[in-house]
Amino acid sequence: MALPLSWTLLLAGAVFAIGVYRLLQVGKRDPRLPPGPPTLPILGNMLDIPATGLGKKFMEWQAIYGKVFSLKVGPGNIIVICDRKAVHELLDKKGSIYSDRPPNIVPRFITRGDHMTMENQTPLWREKRTVVTRNLNPKSLDEKHFRVQEAEYALFWSPGLAVLFMNRLLTDPENFFSYARLYASSVASILAWGFRARDLESFWFKDVSKMIEKGLIYIQWLEAIEPGANPPIDLIPALWYLPGKWKKRAYQMRDHMDSTWGHARKLVDERRDRGDKRECMIDQKLDEYNKNGWQLTEHAFNNLFGELMEAGADTTANQILTLILALAKNPDIQAKARKELDAVCGTERAPLFSDFARLPYINAIVKEGLRWRSTLVFCKNEATTIESLMGMQGSTIFVGVSAMHIDEDYYPDHDKFDPERFINHPKLANEYAVGPNYETRDNLIHHYGYGAGRRICPGIHLAERSMWRIAARLLWAFEFAEPLDPVTNKVQPLDPNAYTSANLVCPLPFQVRVAPRSQAHADVMKRELQGAEEFLEQYN
Ligand code: HEM
């Protein structure tokens, strides 16, 4: 029996009203979630998420909504943690739940799923992490790889190059950045691929950095993977079918990544075919896989060693540039460091890593650099199971690293570059990153510059040694000062906030005055150059 027309209309109206009501609930914050910016129906906070500069936004939102806040993107939940206790409770203690990654659809498309940083905690991810941790542990770094680092520093900071570098600083500040990157790229490419980034034209520098910088064809991996840079496909997968520049960029980036790491592998195979096996991670793994069988596809294998360059070179270079900026702005800190250095090394020799224990102020400077301007401004994880605390199932968890580093409860006068904060932290960062108590890790407050929990940077040991060595040598050899105005001769103060805005931040190009401290220092650097060049011949 058919319903009367009035009933049918009433029913249709009710269904429509329920539909509209439910639609309008999408994007609305569940009351169990922590507070956050006001939401719009359906969109939630989608329009609040900037295409770039999300780390800065986290700092602003933290001041308004507290150390744990939430964002809604359509139906999805994002929880942003800028609280040490929450990071410890969730990431350190419940790593099995909170250490996956969000779907990362665009980055996974670009990498064809072969990128450790983007992967969930699968056996494959474990295998990849083991490749890194087995090679870059303190023992092998201090006993085997250290020669690469010592030699590389000597080459980079030799007086000849330093003079060139100083002139370049005055006339072409952009190359200053390139030289810091060249150094970091060279360390990473020797260790990972057994090749050195010899100069700015080297494939290991030029082509590889196109991956991470604004290259000639404007392909930028970092830009392509910023959360606000693409439609929110992770939360609404159907948006993948939207055309746009973002999609073209993803296709371009994928081609570029495949061809760069494919070419890098070809160079390794050709070298090995000539009987030239080297002491580096890829050769060691190739020997092992050829003997015992392959654990990874060829594509995953090539991408893994590419990823090590990508993850290791830019981060280290960015922190070096941050230190140079901070030192130029703080002559008193340079003077204090030099007093310590001169007492240990005099003018006869440059500092070595074996001086580490006797040069605690250098260590404190490195740590403060990682706190003051952490190159990675946030980490992005995914919760896999139900957590009654905040209704977090499937939620994306951002750790607001930079936001935590401006917490006045722990870092008073947070904008001041002040190494004294860490003067009682005589050990390397990894020693503090795994303590049982979040607040009193060894009775001290450490930084989160290398992340936290299971995804903590596996290159931490190499990075710490690299950063310490370069900071010690820079301070021992050179004086840095803010630039002078060529017309008025007045000091032009450097802007400590002039930084790029992606997830991995770097100071914007700046100028410094840099000069060797004395002829004696310059002579030592000259003396070191020849040995370094001879040593590095093997990686050409
Ligand atoms: C100053 C230098 C460095 C800094 C500040 C840094 C910082 C970080 C941070 C914050 C993370 C993310 C952790 C997370 O998601 O919780 C990370 C991940 C990673 N880093 Fe580093 N890093 C540096 C150098 C290196 C080096 C030298 C290498 C290797 C050669 C490296 C390899 C990696 C890899 C492979 C990951 C991904 C780990 C995973 O998802 O399981 N990093 N790094």
Side-chain angles (χ1 to χ4, degrees):
M1 192 182 69
L3 282 174
L5 184 61
S6 56
W7 277 100
T8 310
L9 285 174
L10 203 64
L11 204 61
V15 168
F16 180 72
I18 291 170
V20 170
Y21 174 78
R22 295 198 61 161
L23 191 66
L24 292 179
Q25 297 308 299
V26 174
K28 201 171 163 188
R29 179 172 287 104
D30 184 307
R32 288 173 303 165
L33 286 171
T39 56
L40 289 174
I42 304 169
L43 298 177
N45 298 114
M46 216 180 275
L47 303 182
D48 297 322
I49 295 184
T52 183
L54 190 56
K56 250 193 186 148
K57 209 74 196 152
F58 285 169
M59 294 184 189
E60 287 169 26
W61 281 328
Q62 172 194 226
I64 304 170
Y65 304 107
K67 292 183 190 178
V68 180
F69 57 89
S70 68
L71 299 168
K72 288 290 301 175
V73 178
N77 301 325
I78 294 177
I79 318 274
V80 186
I81 303 172
C82 312
D83 177 69
R84 307 176 78 90
K85 183 170 182 209
V87 169
H88 183 66
E89 290 299 324
L90 304 181
L91 270 72
D92 289 345
K93 282 172 57 180
K94 296 185 185 169
S96 59
I97 299 175
Y98 290 101
S99 302
D100 269 344
R101 298 295 198 206
N104 283 327
I105 290 174
V106 173
R108 284 186 194 184
F109 170 81
I110 292 172
T111 58
R112 300 179 195 273
D114 292 329
H115 200 285
M116 188 198 322
T117 317
M118 306 292 162
E119 282 168 42
N120 286 340
Q121 302 178 87
T122 60
L124 225 54
W125 169 76
R126 268 181 214 106
E127 163 71 13
K128 291 177 184 179
R129 258 193 97 98
T130 311
V131 172
V132 185
T133 48
R134 214 177 268 159
N135 277 278
L136 300 184
N137 59 50
K139 193 169 183 299
S140 74
L141 282 169
D142 293 339
E143 288 175 8
K144 202 164 64 179
H145 298 315
F146 82 99
R147 287 203 62 203
V148 175
Q149 292 194 22
E150 302 287 0
E152 201 58 37
Y153 296 131
L155 190 67
F156 178 52
W157 292 112
S158 69
L161 282 178
V163 171
L164 200 65
F165 172 61
M166 280 184 272
N167 281 287
R168 279 181 174 148
L169 264 181
L170 290 173
T171 56
D172 183 10
E174 244 145 79
N175 270 343
F176 166 70
F177 281 68
S178 298
Y179 276 95
R181 292 221 165 94
L182 182 65
Y183 150 72
S185 297
S186 210
V187 170
S189 64
I190 288 177
L191 290 175
W193 296 89
F195 283 101
R196 163 189 176 202
R198 189 183 177 140
D199 53 37
L200 298 178
E201 290 307 306
S202 158
F203 161 79
W204 299 100
F205 177 74
K206 203 172 167 189
D207 292 60
V208 167
S209 50
K210 231 188 260 176
M211 194 87 77
I212 35 192
E213 288 178 63
K214 289 181 183 180
L216 294 177
I217 40 174
Y218 195 72
I219 290 178
Q220 200 188 18
W221 164 237
L222 287 176
E223 189 181 279
I225 60 173
E226 269 210 82
N230 304 301
I233 301 164
D234 283 3
L235 296 162
I236 311 167
L239 294 180
W240 173 255
Y241 298 101
L242 271 185
K245 261 199 203 154
W246 64 273
K247 203 165 190 179
K248 197 169 159 206
R249 181 178 56 203
Y251 273 95
Q252 275 184 330
M253 191 66 231
R254 185 167 76 161
D255 287 349
H256 186 62
M257 195 172 260
D258 285 348
S259 69
T260 306
W261 303 139
H263 182 67
R265 176 64 190 285
K266 192 166 150 258
L267 294 177
V268 171
D269 287 345
E270 284 170 2
R271 159 168 75 65
R272 287 170 60 91
D273 287 347
R274 294 194 301 270
D276 182 0
K277 284 192 187 177
R278 296 182 180 177
E279 201 176 283
C280 61
M281 289 163 78
I282 195 166
D283 280 36
Q284 192 222 333
K285 213 65 204 166
L286 280 168
D287 287 345
E288 185 191 317
Y289 279 6
N290 287 337
K291 189 164 160 229
N292 302 332
W294 278 66
Q295 305 287 324
L296 304 172
T297 63
E298 290 278 348
H299 186 266
F301 186 84
N302 297 347
N303 266 26
L304 171 62
F305 293 96
E307 185 179 350
L308 294 184
M309 285 225 49
E310 193 198 288
D314 226 27
T315 44
T316 308
N318 294 349
Q319 291 298 154
I320 292 171
L321 291 166
T322 278
L323 283 191
I324 293 173
L325 174 70
L327 292 173
K329 288 198 76 61
N330 293 283
D332 52 323
I333 291 173
Q334 292 187 57
K336 186 162 181 190
R338 282 193 197 109
K339 213 168 152 199
E340 189 179 85
L341 282 158
D342 291 351
V344 173
C345 308
T347 48
E348 298 79 44
R349 66 170 183 89
L352 299 168
F353 194 63
S354 48
D355 299 317
F356 179 84
R358 293 191 290 162
L359 297 170
Y361 195 61
I362 306 297
N363 192 27
I365 288 176
V366 171
K367 287 176 193 299
E368 177 65 345
L370 276 148
R371 195 248 1 135
W372 186 64
R373 297 290 183 265
S374 244
T375 182
L376 205 76
V377 293
F378 58 80
C379 307
K380 195 174 160 200
N381 287 14
E382 173 104 344
T384 47
T385 56
I386 294 173
E387 262 297 313
S388 57
L389 182 65
M390 294 171 189
M392 278 185 182
Q393 186 182 20
S395 295
T396 301
I397 314 287
F398 281 87
V399 178
V401 172
S402 296
M404 285 204 289
H405 288 169
I406 61 166
D407 188 336
E408 285 283 325
D409 292 344
Y410 296 103
Y411 310 109
D413 199 3
H414 68 79
D415 220 21
K416 186 173 173 205
F417 183 85
D418 181 9
E420 294 295 335
R421 297 179 205 277
F422 293 105
I423 202 62
N424 294 322
H425 287 65
K427 301 181 207 165
L428 293 168
N430 50 289
E431 304 257 9
Y432 300 100
V434 289
N437 186 330
Y438 74 95
E439 203 156 22
T440 55
R441 293 171 173 195
D442 287 31
N443 297 318
L444 298 159
I445 302 305
H446 206 61
H447 62 73
Y448 287 82
Y450 296 102
R454 288 190 179 186
R455 308 303 288 235
I456 196 166
C457 175
I460 187 169
H461 303 288
L462 172 63
E464 281 286 276
R465 282 157 180 75
S466 268
M467 291 302 305
W468 187 90
R469 283 189 169 102
I470 200 82
R473 286 204 170 236
L474 282 175
L475 280 156
W476 176 83
F478 297 105
E479 300 221 14
F480 297 92
E482 291 179 300
L484 297 178
D485 185 300
V487 179
T488 62
N489 222 24
K490 281 195 182 146
V491 170
Q492 287 185 308
L494 293 169
D495 180 355
N497 295 311
Y499 270 70
T500 56
S501 60
N503 185 11
L504 204 65
V505 298
C506 173
L508 290 170
F510 62 95
Q511 291 186 314
V512 285
R513 280 178 291 150
V514 51
R517 287 178 64 206
S518 74
Q519 189 55 45
H521 290 90
D523 289 344
V524 172
M525 287 188 273
K526 256 186 230 168
R527 242 185 7 242
E528 285 188 331
L529 179 61
Q530 197 187 352
E533 274 180 340
E534 277 168 16
F535 173 70
L536 288 169
E537 276 290 305
Q538 61 183 305
Y539 293 107
N540 283 340

